Amino acid sequence: MGYKNIRVEKRGKVGLVTLDRPKALNALNSELIAELGTALDSFDEDERIGCVVITGSEKAFAAGADIKEMHPHDFSSAYQTDLITPFDRVSRNRKPIIAAVAGYALGGGCELAMLCDFIIAADTAKFGQPEITLGVIPGAGGTQRLTRFVGKSKAMEMVLTGRMMDAEEAERSGLVSRIVPADDLLEETLKAAEKIAEFSLPVVMMAKESVDRAYETTLSEGVRFERRVFQAMFALEDQKEGMTAFSEKRTPQFRNK
Ligand code: CAA
């Protein structure tokens, strides 16, 4: 497929999506989000891909949903076209997605990063939910996910004032897993993605599903889910291979079975 707003590549077992609307700081218009959904579908279906990375440019991961595209909506059209809901496709991905964020991740850009499974930030990254300055609130999950990541006080301040958070504050607050120098962002993120893609794909997918449960259910139900998934893994050839390889002091050869 010919993409207009993103670049899509395979780097070994890693699917790489680069947001590519430089003139608009990667503002997320509906065409870009649809293209992202198509790229994610193709990586989810491709059995050679084990992990996906979404990144932007040096200046911006994404400066938000496209304000110029949203501006003309009224309630009726926003409701009937289900404005912003296509962003949710990212959270339905079955394979892990890492966001590699440099520069601005604002509004829908911050929300897109939070829809990924974890965020690696360049030291130049800036996160924020500035929607209040536009006369709206975050619409792609920002009020909910940011609060779960950084806690009520910080999320409330950011959503009510539009204040941005730099990479250090984002790491301190648990929004990002780690910070790397901007020049190393893609290489470091691809390294993490390649590591994930070397493991057993069904086990990786179930690990992701289990961690996600922590956000959607009670502790006891989450632990029950984890326990059943853990026990079910003993039906996989990859469990036998992983534990045999440990005993034989060799690298396991996982076959995704
Ligand atoms: N939508 C549409 N266009 C955008 C955009 C956005 N979110 N962000 C930047 N652009 C465009 C600018 O309009 C500008 O285009 P022109 O050259 O045609 O004027 C171009 O990108 C470059 O931007 P700036 O000249 O503003 O660059 P800067 O370096 O001076 O400032 C910035 C950078 C601080 C990120 C500033 O662009 C900015 O504040 N952007 C808007 C951020 C924002 O409010 N995001 C939230 C959007 S609403 C949302 O996301 C809702 C939701 O929850 C889903």
Side-chain angles (χ1 to χ4, degrees):
M1 154 160 190
Y3 295 104
K4 287 199 229 149
N5 304 281
I6 58 176
R7 298 196 308 275
V8 178
E9 300 160 61
K10 287 183 204 170
R11 302 272 185 105
K13 294 182 180 175
V14 178
L16 173 62
V17 179
T18 307
L19 308 177
D20 191 23
R21 288 189 75 205
K23 289 189 183 140
L25 299 183
N26 293 334
L28 304 164
N29 62 9
S30 47
E31 192 177 54
L32 185 155
I33 291 295
E35 289 180 6
L36 178 60
T38 303
L40 293 178
D41 284 344
S42 72
F43 288 143
D44 245 1
E45 284 159 19
D46 186 339
E47 58 188 25
R48 289 160 301 182
I49 294 294
C51 189
V52 177
V53 171
I54 301 180
T55 195
S57 69
E58 247 173 64
K59 182 160 183 197
F61 177 72
D66 191 312
I67 299 166
K68 294 163 193 170
E69 184 186 61
M70 276 186 301
H71 185 184
H73 273 292
D74 56 20
F75 170 70
S76 172
S77 66
Y79 181 74
Q80 291 186 69
T81 60
D82 213 3
L83 183 63
I84 299 296
T85 296
F87 278 62
D88 293 348
R89 163 66 187 83
V90 180
S91 66
R92 288 197 306 275
N93 215 61
R94 299 192 70 208
K95 294 174 185 172
I97 309 181
I98 311 175
V101 174
Y104 295 112
L106 301 179
C110 185
E111 292 167 306
L112 173 59
M114 291 189 291
L115 281 159
C116 298
D117 295 301
F118 63 97
I119 304 171
I120 298 183
D123 48 12
T124 57
K126 284 188 186 310
F127 298 88
Q129 297 292 163
E131 288 87 345
I132 196 97
T133 67
L134 299 166
V136 291
I137 68 169
T143 61
Q144 306 305 299
R145 290 196 180 87
L146 187 64
T147 309
R148 282 167 159 84
F149 276 107
V150 306
K152 178 178 170 183
S153 189
K154 217 174 257 294
M156 196 65 99
E157 187 200 349
M158 288 177 70
V159 168
L160 291 181
T161 69
R163 178 175 79 79
M164 289 184 216
M165 207 189 244
D166 65 16
E168 292 226 338
E169 186 179 0
E171 187 189 30
R172 219 171 39 240
S173 323
L175 177 58
V176 309
S177 67
R178 63 193 160 99
I179 306 174
V180 297
D183 287 346
D184 302 338
L185 176 68
L186 189 58
E187 192 189 327
E188 285 292 323
T189 309
L190 287 172
K191 238 192 263 173
E194 279 155 16
K195 189 170 184 60
I196 292 167
E198 287 304 320
F199 296 128
S200 165
L201 183 57
V203 175
V204 163
M205 289 166 69
M206 286 187 262
K208 165 177 161 132
E209 215 183 331
S210 300
V211 174
D212 277 339
R213 271 293 157 119
Y215 285 91
E216 283 166 17
T217 189
T218 61
L219 179 61
S220 59
E221 282 306 314
V223 170
R224 190 194 305 271
F225 179 84
E226 179 201 82
R227 191 69 36 81
R228 291 293 166 265
V229 171
F230 175 76
Q231 290 163 348
M233 278 170 184
F234 288 78
L236 290 174
E237 288 175 22
D238 285 342
Q239 171 270 327
K240 297 285 174 292
E241 169 60 10
M243 294 192 181
T244 304
F246 176 81
S247 306
E248 294 176 354
K249 301 188 189 306
R250 61 173 173 82
T251 307
Q253 301 295 319
F254 293 122
R255 296 176 58 232
N256 299 340
K257 287 187 188 301

